[in-house]
Structures are given as C-alpha cells and as structure tokens.
Amino acid sequence: MAELTMQADPEIWQTVPGVDEVAAWYERQVASAPENAREAVATASALALGARVDTDLSAVLLLCDPSAELYAMLGIAALDGVPAPATSQGAVGIAEALVPSPWPGEALPLDFGGVAGWRVTLFDEQGAVGDTEVALPQTVSTVYVADVRGRCVVAALSSLTPLAAAAVQGLAEQVVATFDVEGDENVD
C-alpha cells in the first residue's frame, strides 16, 4: 500500500496525531496557548482532532496563530485506485461534492513539478449577506485536487474569511507542493 508523505513547516502547521496520542496533544495545545486565546485554541484543536479521529483522512494539519487570530485545518485524503481528474471540471466536481455551494467553484491550475492539479475555491452559503441578485459570502472554502504520481490526492482547508483564506492558501500550497507517494512499486 502506498503512503502519502509531505513536508509541512512545523513553525506553521502541526500534524494532528492519531488516536493513541490525542489526549496528550490536546492538553499541550491548550496549555501552551496564550491565556486570552486558550478557548479558541481548544476549539480549533478539538475540531482538528475530530477530523483526524472520526474520518478516513490520510493526514490532518492544524494552523494555530493566536497572535493573528488565525486558525485553519487542512484535511488530506489520498485516494487509492482513483486517478486524478484530467480536467478542471473534474476537479470542481470533486470539490463541490465535498463542499456544496450554491455558486459554481472556480478552479485555478497548479503545477509544483511532481504535483499538479487545481485549487478550487468555493463560496460558502452560510453567512452570505445579500439577496437573490447579489450575495457577499462571508467565508470561502478551498479544495486542492492533485495528481501525485498518478494518484488522486484531495486536500481541503477549513472555511475561512476571504482575507484569511488568501493568506492561508499560500501556506497550504507550500504543503501541497511537497506531496509524494512512497511504498508502492506501481508508482512512477
């Protein structure tokens, strides 16, 4: 079985551990947070732990920057036996299946050498301000759909305000650029 690997900057992203280490990791997260940010760090950490323990994700990364009041999660799934889509429409279809939106997703091509695919941005319906003619979404979701040595890898950021999403997308793309697959003799 092939294993997804990545190089996440530990100064930015924390790898959320598996079931055996969750209690100690959570306690460290909350204890090391500034006192005025402990509740936010506890909430972000608990949500990230839930995503890691309660799903079949390959990895979950957490970004906690209390000084900037910036919290984000990147959930990553490497799909066995599933080829990456060959078109942006295929990538949008995957993203829209994960993050339903009343507005169509927008796909931008990405190519990081060994990792190519799309960044799909979707406007979230919840919290949108406006009417049926014009709406201003308050949060956006970002989904990366990538081909990593012939394997489809999907990475989804938690919903963020548009400004936070713009900042975090670049940090997430630093991780996506390092995706690789090891341990499968059928890999290129």
Side-chain angles (χ1 to χ4, degrees):
M1 173 116 187
E3 179 181 336
L4 178 69
T5 63
M6 69 200 78
Q7 299 297 318
D9 183 342
E11 296 293 317
I12 299 170
W13 296 100
Q14 298 175 50
T15 301
V16 180
V19 175
D20 296 341
E21 303 169 40
V22 295
W25 181 83
Y26 179 81
E27 288 175 17
R28 280 192 310 273
Q29 289 292 106
V30 175
S32 65
E35 190 172 331
N36 64 341
R38 284 201 176 125
E39 186 175 333
V41 170
T43 300
S45 298
L47 291 171
L49 281 172
R52 180 69 176 114
V53 173
D54 298 336
T55 67
D56 291 329
L57 293 173
S58 303
V60 173
L61 302 178
L62 177 66
L63 181 153
C64 274
D65 185 349
S67 63
E69 296 181 7
L70 184 59
Y71 306 92
M73 181 187 72
L74 184 65
I76 305 159
L79 307 175
D80 288 327
V82 176
T87 65
S88 62
Q89 292 84 4
V92 169
I94 290 171
E96 289 177 343
L98 289 173
V99 184
S101 173
W103 299 280
E106 188 67 35
L108 295 174
L110 299 173
D111 190 346
F112 300 116
V115 179
W118 292 270
R119 178 181 72 206
V120 181
T121 305
L122 302 127
F123 295 120
D124 298 331
E125 183 173 24
Q126 290 185 334
V129 195
D131 56 28
T132 57
E133 299 291 320
V134 176
L136 299 173
Q138 301 301 299
T139 59
V140 298
S141 291
T142 305
V143 178
Y144 297 91
V145 181
D147 182 331
V148 181
R149 297 185 187 242
R151 188 174 189 192
C152 185
V153 178
V154 179
L157 277 172
S158 51
S159 293
L160 298 164
T161 63
L163 184 58
V168 175
Q169 285 171 345
L171 299 173
E173 287 164 18
Q174 291 173 5
V175 176
V176 172
T178 69
F179 285 170
D180 200 358
V181 178
E182 295 180 352
D184 184 352
E185 56 201 45
N186 297 324
V187 173
D188 296 340

